[in-house]
Amino acid sequence: MSTVAVNGVVAASAADLWRVLTDLSRCGDRPVRLLTPGTFGPGTSWREIRRRPGGGTMAEDFVVLAAEPPRRLVLGSPGDGVDYRITWTLRDIRRRGRRCASVTVTVRAQPAAVTGRALALLLGGLAARAAERVLRQDIAALAAAASAHHADVA
Protein backbone atom coordinates (compact mmCIF):
# COMPACT_ATOMS: atom_id res chain seq x y z
CA MET A 1 0.00 0.00 0.00
CA SER A 2 1.28 3.50 -0.78
CA THR A 3 0.17 6.76 0.78
CA VAL A 4 0.46 10.34 -0.46
CA ALA A 5 -0.53 13.30 1.74
CA VAL A 6 -0.66 16.98 0.82
CA ASN A 7 -1.28 19.91 3.17
CA GLY A 8 -2.43 23.42 2.39
CA VAL A 9 -3.93 26.51 3.97
CA VAL A 10 -7.03 28.09 2.44
CA ALA A 11 -8.45 31.54 3.21
CA ALA A 12 -11.88 30.20 4.20
CA SER A 13 -13.45 28.47 7.17
CA ALA A 14 -13.64 24.69 7.40
CA ALA A 15 -17.45 25.00 7.22
CA ASP A 16 -17.24 27.01 3.98
CA LEU A 17 -14.83 24.48 2.48
CA TRP A 18 -17.07 21.62 3.56
CA ARG A 19 -20.04 23.19 1.75
CA VAL A 20 -18.03 23.53 -1.46
CA LEU A 21 -16.41 20.10 -1.14
CA THR A 22 -19.74 18.33 -0.70
CA ASP A 23 -21.78 20.32 -3.25
CA LEU A 24 -21.56 17.98 -6.22
CA SER A 25 -23.50 20.41 -8.41
CA ARG A 26 -20.55 22.86 -8.24
CA CYS A 27 -17.55 20.81 -9.32
CA GLY A 28 -16.07 23.45 -11.61
CA ASP A 29 -14.61 22.01 -14.80
CA ARG A 30 -15.31 18.38 -13.84
CA PRO A 31 -18.60 16.97 -15.14
CA VAL A 32 -20.28 14.98 -12.37
CA ARG A 33 -23.12 12.46 -12.57
CA LEU A 34 -24.76 11.53 -9.27
CA LEU A 35 -25.26 7.75 -9.02
CA THR A 36 -27.35 7.71 -5.83
CA PRO A 37 -30.35 9.85 -4.84
CA GLY A 38 -30.73 11.72 -1.57
CA THR A 39 -28.68 13.97 0.60
CA PHE A 40 -24.88 13.91 0.73
CA GLY A 41 -23.51 11.43 3.26
CA PRO A 42 -22.19 7.89 3.65
CA GLY A 43 -23.25 5.83 0.65
CA THR A 44 -23.52 8.79 -1.74
CA SER A 45 -21.78 7.92 -4.99
CA TRP A 46 -20.98 9.74 -8.19
CA ARG A 47 -18.92 9.56 -11.37
CA GLU A 48 -16.77 12.45 -12.48
CA ILE A 49 -14.65 13.07 -15.53
CA ARG A 50 -11.15 14.27 -14.63
CA ARG A 51 -8.23 15.39 -16.73
CA ARG A 52 -5.27 13.03 -16.77
CA PRO A 53 -1.95 14.59 -15.76
CA GLY A 54 -0.44 13.58 -19.12
CA GLY A 55 -3.46 14.66 -21.18
CA GLY A 56 -6.84 13.21 -22.01
CA THR A 57 -9.63 12.41 -19.57
CA MET A 58 -10.76 9.55 -17.38
CA ALA A 59 -13.93 8.64 -15.51
CA GLU A 60 -13.65 8.00 -11.78
CA ASP A 61 -16.32 6.67 -9.44
CA PHE A 62 -16.43 7.85 -5.83
CA VAL A 63 -18.45 6.75 -2.82
CA VAL A 64 -18.65 8.49 0.55
CA LEU A 65 -17.39 6.11 3.22
CA ALA A 66 -17.53 8.57 6.14
CA ALA A 67 -18.65 12.17 6.57
CA GLU A 68 -18.05 14.20 9.72
CA PRO A 69 -19.08 17.77 8.83
CA PRO A 70 -17.15 20.03 8.65
CA ARG A 71 -13.98 18.17 9.66
CA ARG A 72 -13.48 14.93 7.77
CA LEU A 73 -14.62 13.31 4.54
CA VAL A 74 -13.52 9.82 3.48
CA LEU A 75 -14.08 8.66 -0.09
CA GLY A 76 -13.49 5.32 -1.78
CA SER A 77 -12.66 4.97 -5.46
CA PRO A 78 -12.05 1.67 -7.21
CA GLY A 79 -9.34 1.79 -9.88
CA ASP A 80 -7.80 -0.65 -12.34
CA GLY A 81 -6.25 -3.19 -9.97
CA VAL A 82 -5.98 -0.61 -7.18
CA ASP A 83 -8.57 0.65 -4.68
CA TYR A 84 -8.15 4.22 -3.43
CA ARG A 85 -9.18 5.80 -0.14
CA ILE A 86 -9.15 9.60 -0.13
CA THR A 87 -9.43 11.44 3.19
CA TRP A 88 -10.04 15.20 3.38
CA THR A 89 -9.35 16.71 6.80
CA LEU A 90 -10.37 20.34 7.44
CA ARG A 91 -9.42 22.32 10.53
CA ASP A 92 -10.02 25.99 11.35
CA ILE A 93 -6.87 27.94 12.13
CA ARG A 94 -5.82 31.58 12.40
CA ARG A 95 -3.03 32.87 10.19
CA ARG A 96 -1.86 36.46 10.47
CA GLY A 97 -5.01 37.28 12.40
CA ARG A 98 -7.31 35.88 9.70
CA ARG A 99 -9.58 32.87 9.85
CA CYS A 100 -8.34 30.13 7.54
CA ALA A 101 -8.56 26.38 7.23
CA SER A 102 -5.80 23.84 7.23
CA VAL A 103 -6.54 21.22 4.57
CA THR A 104 -4.94 17.79 4.42
CA VAL A 105 -5.74 15.34 1.64
CA THR A 106 -4.44 11.81 2.00
CA VAL A 107 -4.70 9.14 -0.69
CA ARG A 108 -4.00 5.51 0.12
CA ALA A 109 -3.66 3.12 -2.77
CA GLN A 110 -4.32 -0.54 -1.97
CA PRO A 111 -3.53 -3.00 -4.78
CA ALA A 112 -6.65 -5.08 -5.38
CA ALA A 113 -5.11 -7.66 -7.72
CA VAL A 114 -1.76 -9.16 -8.65
CA THR A 115 -1.49 -6.77 -11.59
CA GLY A 116 -2.10 -3.84 -9.23
CA ARG A 117 0.74 -4.98 -6.96
CA ALA A 118 3.12 -5.36 -9.91
CA LEU A 119 2.15 -1.95 -11.27
CA ALA A 120 2.67 -0.38 -7.83
CA LEU A 121 6.20 -1.79 -7.70
CA LEU A 122 7.03 -0.57 -11.20
CA LEU A 123 5.45 2.87 -11.03
CA GLY A 124 5.28 3.60 -7.28
CA GLY A 125 7.44 6.75 -7.15
CA LEU A 126 6.17 8.12 -10.45
CA ALA A 127 2.55 7.52 -9.45
CA ALA A 128 3.13 9.15 -6.04
CA ARG A 129 4.54 12.31 -7.65
CA ALA A 130 1.64 12.46 -10.10
CA ALA A 131 -0.87 11.96 -7.25
CA GLU A 132 0.79 14.72 -5.25
CA ARG A 133 0.45 17.14 -8.19
CA VAL A 134 -3.23 16.24 -8.61
CA LEU A 135 -3.91 16.70 -4.88
CA ARG A 136 -2.25 20.14 -4.90
CA GLN A 137 -4.45 21.07 -7.87
CA ASP A 138 -7.52 19.78 -6.01
CA ILE A 139 -6.71 21.94 -2.97
CA ALA A 140 -6.16 24.98 -5.23
CA ALA A 141 -9.47 24.29 -7.00
CA LEU A 142 -11.24 23.97 -3.63
CA ALA A 143 -9.77 27.32 -2.54
CA ALA A 144 -10.87 28.99 -5.79
CA ALA A 145 -14.37 27.50 -5.55
CA ALA A 146 -14.68 28.61 -1.89
CA SER A 147 -13.63 32.11 -2.88
CA ALA A 148 -16.17 32.19 -5.74
CA HIS A 149 -18.89 30.74 -3.47
CA HIS A 150 -18.14 33.39 -0.84
CA ALA A 151 -18.40 36.13 -3.51
CA ASP A 152 -21.77 34.69 -4.68
CA VAL A 153 -23.14 34.75 -1.13
CA ALA A 154 -21.84 38.24 -0.29
Side-chain angles (χ1 to χ4, degrees):
M1 173 173 24
S2 66
T3 301
V4 175
V6 174
N7 300 304
V9 175
V10 176
S13 71
D16 288 342
L17 292 178
W18 181 267
R19 279 191 287 280
V20 172
L21 189 60
T22 60
D23 184 355
L24 299 176
S25 69
R26 298 175 60 107
C27 284
D29 65 343
R30 296 187 321 257
V32 170
R33 182 169 60 101
L34 196 59
L35 301 175
T36 54
T39 59
F40 188 92
T44 299
S45 64
W46 68 94
R47 176 170 293 137
E48 64 182 57
I49 306 300
R50 296 179 67 99
R51 290 193 179 112
R52 289 184 185 271
T57 60
M58 63 185 207
E60 285 188 288
D61 290 351
F62 294 93
V63 63
V64 176
L65 301 175
E68 301 166 18
R71 297 182 337 261
R72 186 170 166 268
L73 177 63
V74 181
L75 306 174
S77 180
D80 286 336
V82 180
D83 290 328
Y84 297 95
R85 181 174 288 226
I86 304 106
T87 303
W88 288 82
T89 305
L90 311 172
R91 184 174 50 91
D92 284 320
I93 62 171
R94 293 199 74 75
R95 179 176 262 186
R96 297 184 188 120
R98 293 180 143 173
R99 183 175 63 170
C100 298
S102 169
V103 179
T104 302
V105 187
T106 304
V107 175
R108 291 179 184 230
Q110 176 69 44
V114 173
T115 56
R117 284 190 283 281
L119 200 56
L121 285 172
L122 291 172
L123 302 175
L126 180 63
R129 286 189 296 280
E132 185 176 333
R133 271 194 309 277
V134 169
L135 295 178
R136 290 194 190 289
Q137 291 169 352
D138 285 351
I139 290 174
L142 178 64
S147 179
H149 177 75
H150 184 68
D152 289 347
V153 174

